[in-house]
Amino acid sequence: MKGNRNIFFLVLVCICLKTQAQEKTDFLKESPSEYETRMQWFSDAKYGMFIHFGLYSQLGGVWKGKSYDGYAEWIQSNADIAAQEYAMLTTTFNPKDFDADFIAETAKKAGMKYIVITTKHHEGFCLWDSKYTNFDVASTPFKRDLLKELSVACRKYGLKFGTYYSIIDWHHPSQERNIDGDNPWGWWGEIRMKYKKRNGYIDYMKNQLRELIENYDSDIMWFDGDWVEWWNMEVGADLYQYIRALKPDIIINNRVSKRAKFKKDFGTPEQEHPGETLKYKWEACYTMNHSWGFKANDTDWKSPEVVYKKLKDINDKGGNLLLNVGPDGKGNIPDESVEILIKVGNMLQK
């Protein structure tokens, strides 16, 4: 028995030492060769699918009979909807037609190599059953584990799986509508952090990000919302280190910090892309019409030829294309999006 205790003690010491070593690792100082090895699959991928999906998807850009301009996923901001009133949308969220296998298979046929889905957009609603909030899919009529279904489908078709997570949160009690604003962007885009509430919110973020990594094995963590004044380089770097410690080979976009200055692991131009090769890795994200989230009256679709040319131009300049689809409230990807994706896939095969 004494020998067994000694062995147990040694194992415990080794685990502790390994944990301490991992905690002390500065992931921002990895060598160029380590970075290139970690980023290899991303560099080879060239093409991925973005999925914007949330409570806003069932509205389609319309609130109380009025259609609002701008991105559909920003309707809480554009219509200036109070957080508690907006939260009532959980009672009607039931995307029973969401078909993860079809989505992954379509991405595969399109020539895509990875998928990134909005697990929590600015509205704060979580597409998974989180232990840290009730504002999630488990509190809706839709009881399925949507992220697990999509993660499994991605593995089935040989695709990498990515999770988008917004830094700002229009529902979380740490933040409040900015009364100093004079338009939707000022009120909600520049949402205010309450006094001494930031650290608690960062803990909330870290807990949820750990859930995404441990429960769904995210290959990419894709952040957004870094523009607010209460988010800075220091807290961004700390969050980057925290996530890499959880999963050292994960890839994180530059919006985890301030995107204008921070370029690890890759830059993220939006609705545009550079006209020349850059000195860092990058991925341009584009919509297929004029909205990320589903918008019922937006039927101005890019042609397959336009998408194909953008993809080739982006790839020729060393970047990836992350092309968006916005499922409707029932979970269906618009037919036009599917048609574009398949046609571009056929063009790539030729």
Side-chain angles (χ1 to χ4, degrees):
M1 291 296 293
K2 184 176 181 181
N4 289 337
R5 289 196 194 99
N6 290 337
I7 292 173
F8 175 77
F9 178 74
L10 288 172
V11 170
L12 187 62
V13 169
C14 289
I15 291 173
C16 291
L17 289 174
K18 182 178 180 181
T19 301
Q20 291 175 0
Q22 188 179 50
E23 289 175 350
K24 294 179 180 179
T25 300
D26 187 346
F27 292 100
L28 289 170
K29 293 182 179 179
E30 67 182 334
S31 69
S33 62
E34 290 172 329
Y35 171 73
E36 289 297 334
T37 298
R38 182 167 59 89
M39 295 294 294
Q40 190 62 58
W41 76 259
F42 182 83
S43 300
D44 294 339
K46 307 296 184 184
Y47 190 24
M49 176 188 285
F50 216 173
I51 302 176
H52 273 68
F53 193 49
L55 294 180
Y56 50 81
S57 302
Q58 59 189 314
L59 299 177
V62 179
W63 178 253
K64 295 184 177 180
K66 180 180 177 181
S67 180
Y68 284 83
D69 294 334
Y71 292 144
E73 71 280 2
W74 278 74
I75 193 165
Q76 183 180 352
S77 168
N78 296 332
D80 195 21
I81 307 167
Q84 292 308 311
E85 183 177 12
Y86 187 84
M88 294 303 295
L89 289 171
T90 56
T91 64
T92 54
F93 185 76
N94 190 20
K96 56 184 178 60
D97 294 341
F98 186 88
D99 188 339
D101 194 87
F102 173 77
I103 292 172
E105 182 182 23
T106 300
K108 182 75 172 181
K109 290 179 179 178
M112 294 167 159
K113 299 298 191 297
Y114 59 104
I115 290 177
V116 177
I117 185 170
T118 55
T119 60
K120 186 192 78 137
H121 205 268
H122 311 326
E123 64 181 4
F125 176 72
C126 299
L127 284 182
W128 78 100
D129 182 5
S130 175
K131 295 179 181 178
Y132 303 96
T133 183
N134 291 323
F135 194 50
D136 62 21
V137 70
S139 301
T140 73
F142 185 74
K143 300 299 182 182
R144 289 155 44 192
D145 192 340
L146 183 153
L147 293 190
K148 178 62 71 176
E149 292 176 13
L150 189 58
S151 175
V152 169
C154 283
R155 311 304 177 193
K156 174 182 175 181
Y157 289 97
L159 307 173
K160 296 289 188 177
F161 178 66
T163 46
Y164 166 114
Y165 189 95
S166 174
I167 290 169
I168 65 173
D169 191 318
W170 296 335
H171 182 82
H172 196 273
S174 65
Q175 293 153 70
E176 60 186 352
R177 179 181 180 275
N178 191 344
I179 59 174
D180 292 330
D182 55 8
N183 55 46
W185 174 263
W187 296 322
W188 295 96
E190 295 288 354
I191 192 166
R192 178 177 291 169
M193 177 62 67
K194 295 179 182 177
Y195 182 61
K196 291 188 176 181
K197 295 296 183 180
R198 189 179 69 170
N199 289 344
Y201 176 63
I202 291 175
D203 288 341
Y204 172 80
M205 291 177 65
K206 287 180 175 179
N207 285 329
Q208 290 201 321
L209 294 168
R210 188 179 67 251
E211 287 182 323
L212 292 175
I213 291 171
E214 292 180 351
N215 297 341
Y216 306 105
D217 196 23
S218 301
D219 297 302
I220 302 175
M221 196 62 71
W222 213 105
F223 287 97
D224 199 10
D226 57 293
W227 57 76
V228 285
E229 59 84 20
W230 48 265
W231 194 257
N232 57 38
M233 294 286 285
E234 181 181 358
V235 292
D238 174 72
L239 190 59
Y240 180 93
Q241 300 277 23
Y242 172 80
I243 295 167
R244 291 289 307 282
L246 290 175
K247 185 177 180 180
D249 64 345
I250 198 170
I251 293 173
I252 307 169
N253 75 331
N254 67 326
R255 300 184 190 190
V256 67
S257 188
K258 289 294 189 180
R259 72 184 78 175
K261 298 180 180 179
F262 192 77
K263 300 306 177 184
K264 273 181 83 84
D265 290 320
F266 61 94
T268 51
E270 182 174 324
Q271 299 285 47
E272 62 181 9
H273 63 272
E276 58 186 4
T277 301
L278 301 179
K279 294 181 179 179
Y280 54 86
K281 297 185 188 298
W282 58 278
E283 169 199 74
C285 54
Y286 274 95
T287 55
M288 278 197 250
N289 51 4
H290 297 288
S291 182
W292 301 97
F294 173 72
K295 194 166 189 178
N297 67 359
D298 186 352
T299 58
D300 186 17
W301 302 95
K302 293 179 176 66
S303 70
E305 290 75 20
V306 167
V307 172
Y308 176 80
K309 288 179 181 177
K310 282 188 182 296
L311 173 60
K312 298 301 288 185
D313 190 47
I314 289 168
N315 290 168
D316 288 345
K317 293 180 173 66
N320 288 11
L321 169 61
L322 189 64
L323 187 64
N324 184 73
V325 299
D328 63 20
K330 294 182 179 180
N332 296 301
I333 296 178
D335 292 339
E336 295 87 348
S337 294
V338 175
E339 183 179 352
I340 293 167
L341 290 172
I342 297 302
K343 287 185 176 179
V344 172
N346 290 337
M347 295 168 75
L348 288 171
Q349 287 182 355
K350 293 178 181 179

PDB file of all heavy atoms in Angstrom, residues 6 17 53 68 76 80 102 104 107 109 113 124 131 134 141 146 153 161 193 199 215 224 271 281 310 319 323 326 350:
ATOM      1  N   ASN A   6       3.162   6.146  -2.815  1.00  0.00           N
ATOM      2  CA  ASN A   6       4.294   6.885  -3.384  1.00  0.00           C
ATOM      3  C   ASN A   6       4.108   7.134  -4.874  1.00  0.00           C
ATOM      4  O   ASN A   6       4.411   8.222  -5.375  1.00  0.00           O
ATOM      5  CB  ASN A   6       5.592   6.106  -3.143  1.00  0.00           C
ATOM      6  CG  ASN A   6       5.996   6.111  -1.684  1.00  0.00           C
ATOM      7  OD1 ASN A   6       5.595   6.987  -0.918  1.00  0.00           O
ATOM      8  ND2 ASN A   6       6.795   5.125  -1.282  1.00  0.00           N
ATOM      9  N   LEU A  17       3.205  19.957 -11.752  1.00  0.00           N
ATOM     10  CA  LEU A  17       4.314  20.612 -12.447  1.00  0.00           C
ATOM     11  C   LEU A  17       3.954  20.918 -13.893  1.00  0.00           C
ATOM     12  O   LEU A  17       4.291  21.981 -14.420  1.00  0.00           O
ATOM     13  CB  LEU A  17       5.561  19.729 -12.384  1.00  0.00           C
ATOM     14  CG  LEU A  17       6.228  19.603 -11.010  1.00  0.00           C
ATOM     15  CD1 LEU A  17       7.363  18.585 -11.071  1.00  0.00           C
ATOM     16  CD2 LEU A  17       6.748  20.961 -10.539  1.00  0.00           C
ATOM     17  N   PHE A  53     -26.463  33.005 -36.734  1.00  0.00           N
ATOM     18  CA  PHE A  53     -27.716  32.406 -36.312  1.00  0.00           C
ATOM     19  C   PHE A  53     -27.988  32.749 -34.857  1.00  0.00           C
ATOM     20  O   PHE A  53     -27.097  32.640 -34.007  1.00  0.00           O
ATOM     21  CB  PHE A  53     -27.644  30.881 -36.494  1.00  0.00           C
ATOM     22  CG  PHE A  53     -28.962  30.169 -36.379  1.00  0.00           C
ATOM     23  CD1 PHE A  53     -30.079  30.605 -37.070  1.00  0.00           C
ATOM     24  CD2 PHE A  53     -29.079  29.053 -35.563  1.00  0.00           C
ATOM     25  CE1 PHE A  53     -31.295  29.946 -36.967  1.00  0.00           C
ATOM     26  CE2 PHE A  53     -30.294  28.386 -35.450  1.00  0.00           C
ATOM     27  CZ  PHE A  53     -31.403  28.828 -36.152  1.00  0.00           C
ATOM     28  N   TYR A  68     -36.379  47.149 -40.745  1.00  0.00           N
ATOM     29  CA  TYR A  68     -35.302  48.071 -40.395  1.00  0.00           C
ATOM     30  C   TYR A  68     -34.107  47.905 -41.329  1.00  0.00           C
ATOM     31  O   TYR A  68     -33.772  46.795 -41.734  1.00  0.00           O
ATOM     32  CB  TYR A  68     -34.868  47.846 -38.946  1.00  0.00           C
ATOM     33  CG  TYR A  68     -35.849  48.416 -37.951  1.00  0.00           C
ATOM     34  CD1 TYR A  68     -36.971  47.700 -37.573  1.00  0.00           C
ATOM     35  CD2 TYR A  68     -35.654  49.685 -37.406  1.00  0.00           C
ATOM     36  CE1 TYR A  68     -37.890  48.228 -36.661  1.00  0.00           C
ATOM     37  CE2 TYR A  68     -36.565  50.217 -36.493  1.00  0.00           C
ATOM     38  CZ  TYR A  68     -37.673  49.486 -36.132  1.00  0.00           C
ATOM     39  OH  TYR A  68     -38.584  50.020 -35.239  1.00  0.00           O
ATOM     40  N   GLN A  76     -31.888  44.483 -32.582  1.00  0.00           N
ATOM     41  CA  GLN A  76     -32.102  44.992 -31.227  1.00  0.00           C
ATOM     42  C   GLN A  76     -31.562  46.410 -31.103  1.00  0.00           C
ATOM     43  O   GLN A  76     -32.171  47.262 -30.446  1.00  0.00           O
ATOM     44  CB  GLN A  76     -31.439  44.087 -30.189  1.00  0.00           C
ATOM     45  CG  GLN A  76     -31.695  44.552 -28.754  1.00  0.00           C
ATOM     46  CD  GLN A  76     -31.048  43.665 -27.701  1.00  0.00           C
ATOM     47  OE1 GLN A  76     -30.514  42.607 -28.004  1.00  0.00           O
ATOM     48  NE2 GLN A  76     -31.082  44.099 -26.453  1.00  0.00           N
ATOM     49  N   ASP A  80     -33.858  49.714 -31.332  1.00  0.00           N
ATOM     50  CA  ASP A  80     -33.707  50.174 -29.951  1.00  0.00           C
ATOM     51  C   ASP A  80     -34.657  49.428 -29.011  1.00  0.00           C
ATOM     52  O   ASP A  80     -35.489  50.026 -28.327  1.00  0.00           O
ATOM     53  CB  ASP A  80     -33.934  51.681 -29.855  1.00  0.00           C
ATOM     54  CG  ASP A  80     -33.431  52.268 -28.537  1.00  0.00           C
ATOM     55  OD1 ASP A  80     -32.575  51.624 -27.886  1.00  0.00           O
ATOM     56  OD2 ASP A  80     -33.900  53.359 -28.146  1.00  0.00           O
ATOM     57  N   PHE A 102     -26.773  18.498 -43.327  1.00  0.00           N
ATOM     58  CA  PHE A 102     -26.952  19.152 -44.625  1.00  0.00           C
ATOM     59  C   PHE A 102     -26.021  20.354 -44.760  1.00  0.00           C
ATOM     60  O   PHE A 102     -25.419  20.575 -45.823  1.00  0.00           O
ATOM     61  CB  PHE A 102     -28.403  19.599 -44.799  1.00  0.00           C
ATOM     62  CG  PHE A 102     -28.640  20.437 -46.025  1.00  0.00           C
ATOM     63  CD1 PHE A 102     -28.706  19.844 -47.280  1.00  0.00           C
ATOM     64  CD2 PHE A 102     -28.781  21.817 -45.924  1.00  0.00           C
ATOM     65  CE1 PHE A 102     -28.910  20.615 -48.415  1.00  0.00           C
ATOM     66  CE2 PHE A 102     -28.986  22.595 -47.057  1.00  0.00           C
ATOM     67  CZ  PHE A 102     -29.053  21.990 -48.308  1.00  0.00           C
ATOM     68  N   ALA A 104     -23.097  20.928 -43.223  1.00  0.00           N
ATOM     69  CA  ALA A 104     -21.705  20.483 -43.371  1.00  0.00           C
ATOM     70  C   ALA A 104     -21.476  19.854 -44.740  1.00  0.00           C
ATOM     71  O   ALA A 104     -20.436  20.082 -45.374  1.00  0.00           O
ATOM     72  CB  ALA A 104     -21.352  19.499 -42.266  1.00  0.00           C
ATOM     73  N   ALA A 107     -21.250  22.637 -47.266  1.00  0.00           N
ATOM     74  CA  ALA A 107     -19.946  23.292 -47.183  1.00  0.00           C
ATOM     75  C   ALA A 107     -18.873  22.454 -47.858  1.00  0.00           C
ATOM     76  O   ALA A 107     -18.010  22.982 -48.575  1.00  0.00           O
ATOM     77  CB  ALA A 107     -19.583  23.536 -45.716  1.00  0.00           C
ATOM     78  N   LYS A 109     -19.310  20.242 -50.312  1.00  0.00           N
ATOM     79  CA  LYS A 109     -19.530  20.300 -51.756  1.00  0.00           C
ATOM     80  C   LYS A 109     -19.085  21.641 -52.334  1.00  0.00           C
ATOM     81  O   LYS A 109     -18.684  21.723 -53.498  1.00  0.00           O
ATOM     82  CB  LYS A 109     -21.005  20.059 -52.080  1.00  0.00           C
ATOM     83  CG  LYS A 109     -21.480  18.635 -51.844  1.00  0.00           C
ATOM     84  CD  LYS A 109     -22.963  18.501 -52.169  1.00  0.00           C
ATOM     85  CE  LYS A 109     -23.451  17.072 -51.969  1.00  0.00           C
ATOM     86  NZ  LYS A 109     -24.916  16.947 -52.238  1.00  0.00           N
ATOM     87  N   LYS A 113     -13.459  24.290 -46.161  1.00  0.00           N
ATOM     88  CA  LYS A 113     -12.680  23.418 -45.286  1.00  0.00           C
ATOM     89  C   LYS A 113     -12.987  23.617 -43.798  1.00  0.00           C
ATOM     90  O   LYS A 113     -12.505  22.873 -42.971  1.00  0.00           O
ATOM     91  CB  LYS A 113     -11.180  23.651 -45.514  1.00  0.00           C
ATOM     92  CG  LYS A 113     -10.720  23.351 -46.952  1.00  0.00           C
ATOM     93  CD  LYS A 113     -10.937  21.881 -47.322  1.00  0.00           C
ATOM     94  CE  LYS A 113     -10.253  21.515 -48.627  1.00  0.00           C
ATOM     95  NZ  LYS A 113     -10.774  22.255 -49.791  1.00  0.00           N
ATOM     96  N   GLY A 124     -26.266  38.476 -26.925  1.00  0.00           N
ATOM     97  CA  GLY A 124     -25.972  37.754 -25.694  1.00  0.00           C
ATOM     98  C   GLY A 124     -26.583  36.378 -25.588  1.00  0.00           C
ATOM     99  O   GLY A 124     -26.274  35.627 -24.653  1.00  0.00           O
ATOM    100  N   LYS A 131     -23.866  26.725 -18.330  1.00  0.00           N
ATOM    101  CA  LYS A 131     -24.091  26.695 -16.887  1.00  0.00           C
ATOM    102  C   LYS A 131     -24.134  28.103 -16.295  1.00  0.00           C
ATOM    103  O   LYS A 131     -24.520  28.269 -15.133  1.00  0.00           O
ATOM    104  CB  LYS A 131     -22.980  25.899 -16.193  1.00  0.00           C
ATOM    105  CG  LYS A 131     -22.936  24.423 -16.536  1.00  0.00           C
ATOM    106  CD  LYS A 131     -21.779  23.747 -15.804  1.00  0.00           C
ATOM    107  CE  LYS A 131     -21.687  22.267 -16.148  1.00  0.00           C
ATOM    108  NZ  LYS A 131     -20.530  21.617 -15.470  1.00  0.00           N
ATOM    109  N   ASN A 134     -29.147  31.649 -18.131  1.00  0.00           N
ATOM    110  CA  ASN A 134     -30.393  31.034 -18.590  1.00  0.00           C
ATOM    111  C   ASN A 134     -30.820  31.589 -19.938  1.00  0.00           C
ATOM    112  O   ASN A 134     -31.822  31.138 -20.506  1.00  0.00           O
ATOM    113  CB  ASN A 134     -31.513  31.267 -17.559  1.00  0.00           C
ATOM    114  CG  ASN A 134     -31.280  30.494 -16.274  1.00  0.00           C
ATOM    115  OD1 ASN A 134     -30.795  29.370 -16.300  1.00  0.00           O
ATOM    116  ND2 ASN A 134     -31.612  31.101 -15.144  1.00  0.00           N
ATOM    117  N   PRO A 141     -38.146  26.582 -26.659  1.00  0.00           N
ATOM    118  CA  PRO A 141     -38.821  25.340 -27.054  1.00  0.00           C
ATOM    119  C   PRO A 141     -37.904  24.371 -27.797  1.00  0.00           C
ATOM    120  O   PRO A 141     -38.201  23.181 -27.891  1.00  0.00           O
ATOM    121  CB  PRO A 141     -39.955  25.837 -27.972  1.00  0.00           C
ATOM    122  CG  PRO A 141     -40.197  27.248 -27.560  1.00  0.00           C
ATOM    123  CD  PRO A 141     -38.843  27.774 -27.190  1.00  0.00           C
ATOM    124  N   LEU A 146     -27.573  22.091 -30.549  1.00  0.00           N
ATOM    125  CA  LEU A 146     -27.284  22.521 -31.914  1.00  0.00           C
ATOM    126  C   LEU A 146     -25.783  22.509 -32.208  1.00  0.00           C
ATOM    127  O   LEU A 146     -25.351  22.078 -33.286  1.00  0.00           O
ATOM    128  CB  LEU A 146     -27.880  23.908 -32.115  1.00  0.00           C
ATOM    129  CG  LEU A 146     -27.813  24.628 -33.453  1.00  0.00           C
ATOM    130  CD1 LEU A 146     -29.001  25.591 -33.543  1.00  0.00           C
ATOM    131  CD2 LEU A 146     -26.525  25.402 -33.628  1.00  0.00           C
ATOM    132  N   ALA A 153     -21.099  16.910 -37.211  1.00  0.00           N
ATOM    133  CA  ALA A 153     -21.231  16.904 -38.670  1.00  0.00           C
ATOM    134  C   ALA A 153     -19.950  17.396 -39.340  1.00  0.00           C
ATOM    135  O   ALA A 153     -19.540  16.876 -40.380  1.00  0.00           O
ATOM    136  CB  ALA A 153     -22.416  17.771 -39.088  1.00  0.00           C
ATOM    137  N   PHE A 161     -14.051  22.990 -37.025  1.00  0.00           N
ATOM    138  CA  PHE A 161     -15.222  23.614 -36.404  1.00  0.00           C
ATOM    139  C   PHE A 161     -14.810  24.836 -35.597  1.00  0.00           C
ATOM    140  O   PHE A 161     -13.936  24.759 -34.730  1.00  0.00           O
ATOM    141  CB  PHE A 161     -15.924  22.604 -35.497  1.00  0.00           C
ATOM    142  CG  PHE A 161     -17.115  23.147 -34.763  1.00  0.00           C
ATOM    143  CD1 PHE A 161     -18.256  23.533 -35.455  1.00  0.00           C
ATOM    144  CD2 PHE A 161     -17.097  23.275 -33.382  1.00  0.00           C
ATOM    145  CE1 PHE A 161     -19.367  24.033 -34.780  1.00  0.00           C
ATOM    146  CE2 PHE A 161     -18.202  23.765 -32.699  1.00  0.00           C
ATOM    147  CZ  PHE A 161     -19.338  24.148 -33.402  1.00  0.00           C
ATOM    148  N   MET A 193     -20.052  49.640 -20.041  1.00  0.00           N
ATOM    149  CA  MET A 193     -19.759  48.693 -18.966  1.00  0.00           C
ATOM    150  C   MET A 193     -20.033  49.388 -17.630  1.00  0.00           C
ATOM    151  O   MET A 193     -19.550  50.497 -17.390  1.00  0.00           O
ATOM    152  CB  MET A 193     -18.297  48.240 -19.038  1.00  0.00           C
ATOM    153  CG  MET A 193     -17.869  47.306 -17.915  1.00  0.00           C
ATOM    154  SD  MET A 193     -18.744  45.730 -17.846  1.00  0.00           S
ATOM    155  CE  MET A 193     -18.171  44.937 -19.350  1.00  0.00           C
ATOM    156  N   ASN A 199     -14.390  42.970 -14.574  1.00  0.00           N
ATOM    157  CA  ASN A 199     -13.693  41.749 -14.172  1.00  0.00           C
ATOM    158  C   ASN A 199     -14.652  40.574 -14.008  1.00  0.00           C
ATOM    159  O   ASN A 199     -14.338  39.442 -14.398  1.00  0.00           O
ATOM    160  CB  ASN A 199     -12.923  41.987 -12.869  1.00  0.00           C
ATOM    161  CG  ASN A 199     -11.706  42.881 -13.056  1.00  0.00           C
ATOM    162  OD1 ASN A 199     -11.250  43.088 -14.178  1.00  0.00           O
ATOM    163  ND2 ASN A 199     -11.193  43.420 -11.962  1.00  0.00           N
ATOM    164  N   ASN A 215     -16.533  21.244 -24.419  1.00  0.00           N
ATOM    165  CA  ASN A 215     -17.720  20.500 -24.856  1.00  0.00           C
ATOM    166  C   ASN A 215     -17.798  20.298 -26.362  1.00  0.00           C
ATOM    167  O   ASN A 215     -18.410  19.323 -26.821  1.00  0.00           O
ATOM    168  CB  ASN A 215     -18.990  21.204 -24.382  1.00  0.00           C
ATOM    169  CG  ASN A 215     -19.094  21.265 -22.869  1.00  0.00           C
ATOM    170  OD1 ASN A 215     -18.427  20.515 -22.159  1.00  0.00           O
ATOM    171  ND2 ASN A 215     -19.919  22.171 -22.366  1.00  0.00           N
ATOM    172  N   ASP A 224     -15.477  39.130 -31.751  1.00  0.00           N
ATOM    173  CA  ASP A 224     -15.997  40.350 -32.365  1.00  0.00           C
ATOM    174  C   ASP A 224     -16.381  41.302 -31.231  1.00  0.00           C
ATOM    175  O   ASP A 224     -16.517  40.893 -30.074  1.00  0.00           O
ATOM    176  CB  ASP A 224     -17.215  40.012 -33.235  1.00  0.00           C
ATOM    177  CG  ASP A 224     -17.540  41.095 -34.248  1.00  0.00           C
ATOM    178  OD1 ASP A 224     -16.723  42.026 -34.417  1.00  0.00           O
ATOM    179  OD2 ASP A 224     -18.607  40.997 -34.887  1.00  0.00           O
ATOM    180  N   GLN A 271     -16.121  42.568 -45.239  1.00  0.00           N
ATOM    181  CA  GLN A 271     -16.801  43.105 -46.421  1.00  0.00           C
ATOM    182  C   GLN A 271     -15.842  43.838 -47.366  1.00  0.00           C
ATOM    183  O   GLN A 271     -16.256  44.660 -48.184  1.00  0.00           O
ATOM    184  CB  GLN A 271     -17.946  44.045 -46.017  1.00  0.00           C
ATOM    185  CG  GLN A 271     -19.053  43.397 -45.199  1.00  0.00           C
ATOM    186  CD  GLN A 271     -19.971  42.512 -46.020  1.00  0.00           C
ATOM    187  OE1 GLN A 271     -19.535  41.697 -46.817  1.00  0.00           O
ATOM    188  NE2 GLN A 271     -21.261  42.679 -45.814  1.00  0.00           N
ATOM    189  N   LYS A 281      -1.059  36.623 -41.601  1.00  0.00           N
ATOM    190  CA  LYS A 281      -2.148  35.801 -42.120  1.00  0.00           C
ATOM    191  C   LYS A 281      -3.474  36.525 -41.928  1.00  0.00           C
ATOM    192  O   LYS A 281      -3.661  37.246 -40.944  1.00  0.00           O
ATOM    193  CB  LYS A 281      -2.166  34.446 -41.408  1.00  0.00           C
ATOM    194  CG  LYS A 281      -0.904  33.627 -41.656  1.00  0.00           C
ATOM    195  CD  LYS A 281      -1.007  32.240 -41.044  1.00  0.00           C
ATOM    196  CE  LYS A 281       0.349  31.526 -41.145  1.00  0.00           C
ATOM    197  NZ  LYS A 281       0.782  31.332 -42.533  1.00  0.00           N
ATOM    198  N   LYS A 310     -13.927  36.658 -56.109  1.00  0.00           N
ATOM    199  CA  LYS A 310     -13.440  37.147 -54.812  1.00  0.00           C
ATOM    200  C   LYS A 310     -12.561  36.096 -54.141  1.00  0.00           C
ATOM    201  O   LYS A 310     -11.494  36.406 -53.602  1.00  0.00           O
ATOM    202  CB  LYS A 310     -14.620  37.496 -53.893  1.00  0.00           C
ATOM    203  CG  LYS A 310     -15.300  38.818 -54.198  1.00  0.00           C
ATOM    204  CD  LYS A 310     -16.321  39.152 -53.131  1.00  0.00           C
ATOM    205  CE  LYS A 310     -17.039  40.454 -53.461  1.00  0.00           C
ATOM    206  NZ  LYS A 310     -16.128  41.612 -53.455  1.00  0.00           N
ATOM    207  N   GLY A 319      -4.835  35.189 -48.565  1.00  0.00           N
ATOM    208  CA  GLY A 319      -5.874  35.173 -47.545  1.00  0.00           C
ATOM    209  C   GLY A 319      -6.877  34.048 -47.703  1.00  0.00           C
ATOM    210  O   GLY A 319      -6.866  33.319 -48.702  1.00  0.00           O
ATOM    211  N   LEU A 323     -17.195  32.898 -46.069  1.00  0.00           N
ATOM    212  CA  LEU A 323     -18.424  33.326 -46.737  1.00  0.00           C
ATOM    213  C   LEU A 323     -19.634  32.977 -45.885  1.00  0.00           C
ATOM    214  O   LEU A 323     -19.793  31.840 -45.455  1.00  0.00           O
ATOM    215  CB  LEU A 323     -18.522  32.662 -48.114  1.00  0.00           C
ATOM    216  CG  LEU A 323     -19.660  33.116 -49.020  1.00  0.00           C
ATOM    217  CD1 LEU A 323     -19.507  34.591 -49.396  1.00  0.00           C
ATOM    218  CD2 LEU A 323     -19.726  32.254 -50.281  1.00  0.00           C
ATOM    219  N   GLY A 326     -27.027  32.843 -43.618  1.00  0.00           N
ATOM    220  CA  GLY A 326     -27.876  33.227 -42.496  1.00  0.00           C
ATOM    221  C   GLY A 326     -29.144  32.405 -42.479  1.00  0.00           C
ATOM    222  O   GLY A 326     -30.108  32.739 -43.167  1.00  0.00           O
ATOM    223  N   LYS A 350     -13.697  22.474 -61.496  1.00  0.00           N
ATOM    224  CA  LYS A 350     -13.285  22.565 -62.900  1.00  0.00           C
ATOM    225  C   LYS A 350     -11.951  23.265 -63.048  1.00  0.00           C
ATOM    226  O   LYS A 350     -11.297  23.155 -64.063  1.00  0.00           O
ATOM    227  CB  LYS A 350     -14.366  23.313 -63.704  1.00  0.00           C
ATOM    228  CG  LYS A 350     -15.666  22.544 -63.798  1.00  0.00           C
ATOM    229  CD  LYS A 350     -16.712  23.350 -64.564  1.00  0.00           C
ATOM    230  CE  LYS A 350     -18.045  22.597 -64.654  1.00  0.00           C
ATOM    231  NZ  LYS A 350     -19.077  23.376 -65.362  1.00  0.00           N
TER     232      LYS A 350
END
